[in-house]
Amino acid sequence: MAALLLHVIHLILLLTKSQAILKDEQWKSASATYTKETDGSIITEGACGYGDLHKASYGKYSAGLSTMLFNKGSTCGACFEVRCVDHILWCLQGSPSVILTATDFCPPNYGLSSDYGGWCNFPKEHFEMSEAAFAEIAEKRADNVPVQYKRVKCERRGGIRFSMSGSAHFFQVLITNVGLDGEVVAVKVKGSKTGWIPMARNWGQNWHCNINLIGQPLSFEVTASTGRTVASYGVAPLNWRFGGTYEGKQFK
């Protein structure tokens, strides 16, 4: 009887997860604008903490998200397919799409109407794109265009990257280049002298713990929003340093 109950619970969980994935794969309505940068991409450090987005491998396909989509930073690193729709003057013919990575927060401006200037006002769903990425889906003369979006799998080259910062009693790691859904919901770190230590989200995709890990080779366990976990053992060697970036395994 107990085995049957466990089997039923397992089937219910699988069904719930499948429904959630299907929901994410459906097109949803939003709007999009672009920010002008001299090299056609958003390169300044945003609310996700990635720093130079070219070094983080996101480059011109980075985007700032409105409050509804940003979700207090937990969406950082997630990938979205975006296409311009329902505007014969501004949308490019055939409604081509681009894949964007969430790297920044688009703050609300309640001094302006959400239909004119306050694009990121709550509860609007809005993407602030680079000029170069925007030009792949719409005419640059447009100020604001209607779009459709859906969550998609992040295609990354190489493994997950761990960038260290902090001090002897405050260890912080920035996590980038995450595949699968790109959205990290939990991180653990393990030194050669410790067990697995849960880390707390500091901001964006910066995770921290108040433990001295200097002089120990480090392993990391990263959990995505799908519930899948990947462990990278011995990512950082014994002589790792603050300011260094180390590459681990990738979600498959």
Side-chain angles (χ1 to χ4, degrees):
M1 186 69 179
L4 178 61
L5 181 60
L6 287 173
H7 181 65
V8 171
I9 292 173
H10 180 66
L11 289 176
I12 292 173
L13 289 174
L14 285 177
L15 179 61
T16 302
K17 189 171 182 179
S18 297
Q19 289 174 336
I21 292 171
L22 180 62
K23 186 176 179 181
D24 276 343
E25 290 177 348
Q26 294 174 344
W27 290 103
K28 302 174 186 177
S29 298
S31 57
T33 52
Y34 68 89
T35 180
K36 292 183 178 180
E37 297 287 348
T38 55
D39 68 346
S41 56
I42 305 168
I43 59 171
T44 55
E45 182 170 335
C48 291
Y50 292 132
D52 187 325
L53 297 176
H54 291 298
K55 291 181 180 178
S57 75
Y58 303 139
K60 71 178 183 180
Y61 296 107
S62 306
L65 307 185
S66 62
T67 303
M68 279 291 288
L69 294 171
F70 191 66
N71 196 22
K72 298 181 179 179
S74 69
T75 312
C76 288
C79 294
F80 297 84
E81 183 175 2
V82 178
R83 65 186 183 188
C84 181
V85 295
D86 302 329
H87 205 302
I88 193 170
L89 291 178
W90 302 136
C91 296
L92 297 186
Q93 187 174 2
S95 291
S97 64
V98 292
I99 307 297
L100 304 174
T101 298
T103 60
D104 200 2
F105 173 56
C106 180
N109 183 352
Y110 294 115
L112 297 174
S113 165
S114 59
D115 294 324
Y116 191 80
W119 317 123
C120 292
N121 291 351
F122 185 85
K124 294 275 287 185
E125 296 190 342
H126 185 83
F127 293 86
E128 186 177 55
M129 303 169 61
S130 73
E131 184 176 3
F134 186 88
E136 293 186 21
I137 65 169
E139 298 288 345
K140 288 195 290 184
R141 293 173 296 164
D143 290 329
N144 181 45
V145 296
V147 299
Q148 289 180 334
Y149 74 92
K150 62 181 177 180
R151 287 284 296 272
V152 294
K153 181 180 178 181
C154 297
E155 300 291 342
R156 306 295 187 207
R157 292 182 179 179
I160 298 172
R161 296 172 193 154
F162 303 88
S163 300
M164 319 297 199
S165 63
S167 63
H169 302 290
F170 180 80
F171 175 78
Q172 181 167 274
V173 60
L174 169 64
I175 299 177
T176 60
N177 204 50
V178 180
L180 199 60
D181 64 343
E183 184 177 347
V184 177
V185 297
V187 178
K188 293 180 182 179
V189 62
K190 182 182 183 302
S192 57
K193 301 175 184 177
T194 74
W196 284 106
I197 303 166
M199 303 185 75
R201 188 191 301 275
N202 191 344
W203 58 288
Q205 286 300 350
N206 284 283
W207 297 76
H208 76 278
C209 62
N210 298 317
I211 295 176
N212 186 356
L213 295 169
I214 294 174
Q216 302 179 55
L218 302 180
S219 303
F220 291 93
E221 184 182 274
V222 176
T223 302
S225 62
T226 56
R228 288 181 57 187
T229 296
V230 61
S232 299
Y233 294 95
V235 174
L238 180 70
N239 62 343
W240 66 266
R241 58 182 178 83
F242 291 118
T245 297
Y246 306 89
E247 189 169 309
K249 290 185 178 181
Q250 184 60 270
F251 286 104
K252 294 182 179 179

